[in-house]
Amino acid sequence: MALNKYSKTITQDPTQPAAQAMFYGIGLTDADLQKAQVGIVSMGYDGNTCNMHLNDLAKLVKKGVWDNDLVGLIFNTIGVSDGMSNGTPGMRYSLVSRDVIADSIETVCGAQYYDSIIAIPGCDKNMPGALIAMGRLNRPSIMVYGGTIAPGHYKGQDLNIVSAFEALGQKLAGQLTDNDFKGIIQHACPGAGACGGMYTANTMASAIEALGMSLPFSSSNPALSIDKQQECLNAGKAIKHLMEKNILPSDIMTRKAFENAITIIMALGGSTNAVLHMIAMAKSVGVTVTQDDFQTISDRVPVLADFKPSGKYLMQDLHQYGGVPAVMKYLLAKGYLHGDCLTVTGKTIAENLAAVPDLDFDQQKIILPVEAPVKATGHLQILYGNLATGGSVAKISGKEGERFEGPARVFDGEQDLIEGIHSGKIQHGDVVVIRQVGPVGAPGMPEMLKPTSAIIGAGLGKSVALITDGRFSGGTHGFVVGHITPEAVKGGLIGLVEDNDIIELNVATKKMTLKVDEATIEARRKNWVKPALNVTKGVLFKYAKSVKDASEGCVTDEA
C-alpha cells in the first residue's frame, strides 16, 4: 500500500497549490512531497522535570524518521505538571489536560493529514491523552515514553517527588526542621524524567508497553540514558514498518491486549489513575473495558513489585535487571499474559520477549516470585455499597488490612482538610471524607496527594482511612478509596455524610457503607441543595458540561 495514504491528499492534489507552496516554504523538495509524513508530537516544555527534555528527544525521533526515507514533522501539545499543581486549584486542570491533549493531537493530525503518529509524552496525563488520540485517528502509531527520573539524595536518603509532600506532613507535625525540610525539597528532583516510583507516569508507560503500543523497554529506559536516545532513533524504522504492513492501533489495542496491560498494572502495584485511563483508551478503539474488569484481574494477579510509594524501589532500579520486558517474560511463562497479541514491532508479545533475559530472583529483590509475592492478589479493588452505588477504586497494598471502620471527618475540599490537620480535628481511627472534588464538582477531579501525604507525614497514615470523589496520585498510599460514583455534586451519598457518622470499608465484601439508617438519609436528601458549578466559563466549564463519571473513564466525547 502507499505509505502516504493521507498526506497525498494535499501533497499530490493539483487543486491544493497553497498547501504545496507552504511545504516548499518549510524546505521540502519535490522528492519529499512523494514521501509519507509522520507527525511527531512532543509534550515538551521547560516548566516540568517530567517534560523538560522531550523536545530534545523529539529531534532524535525526527532524525530516525528522516533516516528511514520519511518526512518527520514535529508539533507540540500541552502538558500539566501534577507535582507542581497538586494541592492547589491548578490541579483541577490535570485530568482535563488528558482530553485537551487527545483533542489537540487529533486536530493537528486530522487537519495536516499526517500518515502516522509518534508521540513523546512525559508526565501522567500525557500518555493516555496520546493513546486516546491514536485510537480515534487509527493511523499507524507509536508512543515513545520520555523516561523515568533518577533518584534524588539527601543525608543518605533516596528521594523522589512524594518525599517532598510527605516532608510537609512531617514539618506540620513538628518532626522535621526547617533546614531539613528545605534540603529534601531542593534535592528530591535531580533532573529530567517522570516521577521515579510506580506512580501514574511509570504505571501508564508500563501498561502501554504491555498493551503493545510502545517499543520494548520504553517504559523502563531512564530519561537521560543512551538506551532512551537509541529508542528514539529506532522509532523511525518501527513506524515505517507499521505503515508498510498497515498495522493500526485498532489491530494492537484489542480486548486481550488491554487484559495484558491491566495485568502488568496489578503485578507492578500501579496507580489507581490507570482505571480511568484504560477505560478511556479502550473506548477510543471501540473496546469495552470496565472497572469490574480490574477487579476480575486483581482477583487472580498478585502484586510482585516492591516499588514506591508503598515499597522500596524506583523504576530506574529495574532497568539494570531487564526492565519491564523481563517482568512480562516472567508473567507470560506463568500464564498471566496473552502472548499472541500484536505490538508496534510488528511481532507478538511472545516473539518480542523470546530473547529477553529471565529475571534472576537471587540477583534482584525488586520483583518477587509468584510463590512469595508482595500481595497474593491485586492491590486495586473496586468497592460498591450505599456510598458508591456506581463503584469506587481502592488502593490496598496489603499493609493497611482489609477492613476499616470509624467515625467520619468531613471536609469540602483538600484545603479544608489541611486546616483540619493543623487544628487536630483528625484523630486516630477516623475515616476522612473529602468531597466536592469529583469530575464535575471540582471541576476536574483533582488528585488528593497533598492530603494523603500530609496525613502520612503527620503520623496518621496507618490509623486513618480516606475516601473521596476525587482521584489519588500514583504516589498515594495508605487505606484510601477514590473515584466514588456518584460524586457529591450529582447527589451521591458522600455529599450527605456528616461528622461522626460511622463508615465501614470492607475489601473482603467489596463494600463501603455509611452506617446511617434510611430514614435519616432520606431526611438529609430532602434538605440537600445541589451546589452551583464552581466555574462559569472556560475549559473547566466545558469539561464539567461534557465529562462522564469516573466509572466511564471521565471521557468527554460521548453524548
Side-chain angles (χ1 to χ4, degrees), residues 429-512:
D430 287 346
V431 177
V432 176
V433 180
I434 307 179
R435 64 191 183 192
Q436 313 297 349
V437 289
V440 176
M445 202 182 181
E447 293 177 350
M448 298 293 108
L449 178 58
K450 186 174 182 180
T452 55
S453 297
I455 285 170
I456 288 168
L460 295 166
K462 295 182 179 179
S463 60
V464 302
L466 189 153
I467 70 172
T468 181
D469 53 7
R471 297 183 297 119
F472 294 114
S473 163
T476 295
H477 56 116
F479 204 126
V480 296
V481 187
H483 304 204
I484 290 176
T485 305
E487 61 176 296
V489 76
K490 288 195 169 184
L493 189 57
I494 187 174
L496 304 180
V497 178
E498 297 182 0
D499 282 342
N500 295 312
D501 287 348
I502 299 301
I503 293 174
E504 179 190 2
L505 309 174
N506 194 320
V507 177
T509 62
K510 306 293 187 290
K511 293 283 182 67
M512 54 188 309

Side-chain angles (χ1 to χ4, degrees), residues 119-389:
I120 309 159
C123 198
D124 299 8
K125 310 309 173 294
N126 300 178
M127 283 167 277
L131 267 288
I132 291 167
M134 291 172 180
R136 291 177 186 172
L137 290 160
N138 205 30
R139 302 175 192 180
S141 302
I142 295 174
M143 190 192 87
V144 176
Y145 177 41
T148 187
I149 195 171
H153 302 283
Y154 179 71
K155 289 190 173 181
Q157 179 185 2
D158 282 354
L159 302 175
N160 62 90
I161 187 63
V162 175
S163 306
F165 284 102
E166 293 183 358
L168 173 64
Q170 292 174 300
K171 183 183 177 185
L172 292 176
Q175 300 169 358
L176 199 66
T177 67
D178 288 344
N179 283 342
D180 283 341
F181 176 72
K182 186 172 183 180
I184 290 171
I185 303 307
Q186 289 178 328
H187 294 89
C189 297
C195 301
M198 193 46 61
Y199 311 143
T200 304
N202 283 327
T203 297
M204 293 311 301
S206 302
I208 289 166
E209 183 175 330
L211 186 68
M213 288 298 293
S214 57
L215 295 172
F217 302 98
S218 180
S219 60
S220 40
N221 286 335
L224 300 181
S225 65
I226 296 298
D227 294 323
K228 181 57 65 178
Q229 294 176 27
Q230 189 60 51
E231 177 192 342
C232 291
L233 293 170
N234 292 345
K237 181 178 180 180
I239 198 71
K240 185 173 185 179
H241 182 66
L242 290 178
M243 295 166 74
E244 289 171 340
K245 300 296 184 182
N246 195 32
I247 298 174
L248 307 176
S250 58
D251 298 318
I252 297 172
M253 297 166 66
T254 63
R255 168 70 193 199
K256 289 167 66 176
F258 277 101
E259 291 176 1
N260 283 346
I262 297 171
T263 296
I264 204 75
I265 290 165
M266 294 300 171
L268 296 181
S271 166
T272 52
N273 285 311
V275 180
L276 290 173
H277 298 326
M278 300 306 287
I279 291 170
M281 287 159 50
K283 286 187 174 193
S284 76
V285 287
V287 172
T288 299
V289 170
T290 71
Q291 56 191 7
D292 295 331
D293 292 320
F294 278 79
Q295 186 64 64
T296 299
I297 294 175
S298 183
D299 288 343
R300 65 177 179 82
V301 177
V303 179
L304 302 181
D306 191 20
F307 280 127
K308 290 180 181 294
S310 57
K312 300 176 185 176
Y313 297 100
L314 299 175
M315 186 58 135
Q316 182 164 299
D317 299 321
L318 184 62
H319 174 63
Q320 61 186 310
Y321 298 113
V324 168
V327 181
M328 290 176 63
K329 184 173 184 179
Y330 180 66
L331 290 170
L332 179 64
K334 291 293 183 178
Y336 289 106
L337 295 181
H338 303 291
D340 59 343
C341 290
L342 190 62
T343 75
V344 292
T345 65
K347 299 178 181 179
T348 65
I349 290 283
E351 290 170 333
N352 287 343
L353 299 177
V356 172
D358 293 331
L359 278 173
D360 186 331
F361 294 109
D362 294 323
Q363 187 181 39
Q364 61 81 38
K365 301 300 179 185
I366 305 164
I367 307 298
L368 303 181
V370 296
E371 294 80 11
V374 173
K375 188 173 184 290
T377 56
H379 60 300
L380 298 184
Q381 300 288 319
I382 309 302
L383 307 186
Y384 289 90
N386 67 353
L387 267 171
T389 55

